[in-house]
Amino acid sequence: MKESELEKQCIQLLMIYPTIAWRKVKASGQKHSFGGKSFMKKSTLTNMGDLLLCIRGKYIEIELKTEIGRQSPGQKEHQKNIENAGGLYYLIRNFDVFKSIIESHL
């Protein structure tokens, strides 16, 4: 399954629960041109999870990956920072796991 398909399923589930505060992170950079060449300026959101949630006062970040997708070193460092601050961070590869995690926090 593509990451975009997994994201769509996860968002559809989140929309069912009005007590969950959530936001989808768009970590795209800005495109710039200089000297005839184009480049992307990275966003400050580059290493954040794909979905930010607050359930019953608990901060949760969700990083969505395909079965073969891997976290970048920056994403791993961000995960450590979230967990050290008392938040939860989950690396999700399929919808059933996501649904189980959400239901466990309700």
Side-chain angles (χ1 to χ4, degrees), residues 25-44:
V25 174
K26 291 185 179 182
S28 61
Q30 294 177 332
K31 190 172 184 178
H32 298 277
S33 295
F34 182 75
K37 295 184 180 181
S38 293
F39 64 95
M40 294 293 286
K41 180 179 178 184
K42 288 187 178 182
S43 167
T44 57

Side-chain angles (χ1 to χ4, degrees), residues 9-11 13-17 19-22 51-56 60-62 90 92 95-106:
Q9 288 181 338
C10 293
I11 288 172
L13 179 68
L14 291 172
M15 293 175 76
I16 293 172
Y17 297 105
T19 58
I20 298 176
W22 64 276
L51 299 170
L52 310 179
L53 314 174
C54 186
I55 304 173
R56 297 177 157 262
I60 303 169
E61 278 197 34
I62 304 289
Y90 295 100
I92 303 294
F95 177 74
D96 291 333
V97 171
F98 177 78
K99 183 177 180 184
S100 171
I101 288 168
I102 296 302
E103 290 175 348
S104 73
H105 288 286
L106 293 175

Side-chain angles (χ1 to χ4, degrees), residues 73-88:
Q75 288 172 324
K76 290 177 182 179
E77 182 67 26
H78 181 72
Q79 178 179 355
K80 284 183 201 175
N81 292 338
I82 295 299
E83 293 170 343
N84 287 339
L88 299 174

